[in-house]
Amino acid sequence: MISYLKGIVAGISNNNANRHTLTLEVNGIGYDLQVPARLAQQLPQSGGEVQVFTHYQVREEVPLLYGFSTPAERDLFRFLISVSGIGSASAIALLDTLELPELVQSIIAANVQLLIQAPGVGKKTAERICLELKSKLIDWRKNAGFFVATGGPAPGILEEVQMTLLALGYTAHEVSYALHVVGEDIGLPKDAFVEDWIKQAIAHLSSESVNS
């Protein structure tokens, strides 16, 4: 119905449920759009111009507009809410927890441990997402320009490495990126010991923290 809106930022707000609302003025009309926190943080100040890709939804007879930074982000949102039991809040939480390529990779690789880091997404829900979307996203990512990284521990030790790093307080995004770097750039073998993966990942994350 509405592919995108281009207008002036009139305001950005968030309520107690951590839902971010962008008020966008387009040709003298103010539109309220629910947007991911990541997009809300990237928006210009009031008065700045922005283009937002939209998804229109009617819930309990109430029309709602959702806004996204790219068509790909909107497409993935639509894939997520097509899964039984996944509402818009959970879909946006997933988009905020992981970068888009990482989220696509996690679903295709059935990486439940990373998916459940999103607020409101439990293990069974994450497993359902992977089951229902894996084949769809394999085809979609080719046209969307995403790739599935090959770096990282072997499946047999991946979960233990991730759980340890997450327990140490690192975010899902930090863990995913660190393991990719350790596998691709440092070249640690996939079947290396769990302790080696953890040690190298922490070393990378620590150096990133120092450099920033």
Side-chain angles (χ1 to χ4, degrees), residues 27-147:
N27 296 327
I29 301 175
Y31 294 87
D32 283 340
L33 301 97
Q34 304 296 317
V35 299
R38 195 190 308 276
L39 173 56
Q41 294 165 1
Q42 296 171 349
L43 290 169
Q45 298 294 321
S46 294
E49 188 176 65
V50 67
Q51 177 173 297
V52 181
F53 297 89
T54 59
H55 172 77
Y56 177 78
Q57 185 179 78
V58 178
R59 187 176 63 190
E60 297 177 356
E61 300 184 358
V62 177
L64 296 168
L65 267 177
Y66 295 89
F68 305 93
S69 58
T70 65
E73 187 177 53
R74 179 187 58 190
D75 289 348
L76 190 51
F77 172 82
R78 288 172 172 170
F79 276 121
L80 290 168
I81 62 174
S82 73
V83 177
S84 175
I86 297 295
S88 56
S90 295
I92 289 179
L94 283 161
L95 291 170
D96 275 332
T97 300
L98 291 165
E99 298 283 355
L100 220 59
E102 295 169 338
L103 179 53
V104 173
Q105 178 180 338
S106 295
I107 295 172
I108 291 176
N111 196 331
V112 172
Q113 195 60 42
L114 284 189
L115 296 177
I116 63 175
Q117 300 307 307
V121 178
K123 183 177 180 181
K124 289 184 178 180
T125 300
E127 291 173 344
R128 190 183 311 121
I129 291 172
C130 297
L131 179 64
E132 294 190 24
L133 295 185
K134 178 179 180 178
S135 60
K136 295 178 181 178
L137 292 186
I138 287 176
D139 293 333
W140 173 77
R141 69 181 174 86
K142 296 175 183 177
N143 296 324
F146 291 107
F147 70 96

Side-chain angles (χ1 to χ4, degrees), residues 6 12 20 48 73 81 83 117 122 134 155 165 173 195 209 212:
K6 187 175 183 179
I12 306 168
H20 293 74
E73 187 177 53
I81 62 174
V83 177
Q117 300 307 307
K134 178 179 180 178
L165 294 172
H173 169 65
E195 293 78 7
S209 177
S212 62

Side-chain angles (χ1 to χ4, degrees), residues 10 13 18 69 98 113 147 160 163 186:
S13 61
N18 201 31
S69 58
L98 291 165
Q113 195 60 42
F147 70 96
E160 185 176 350
M163 289 180 65
I186 299 177

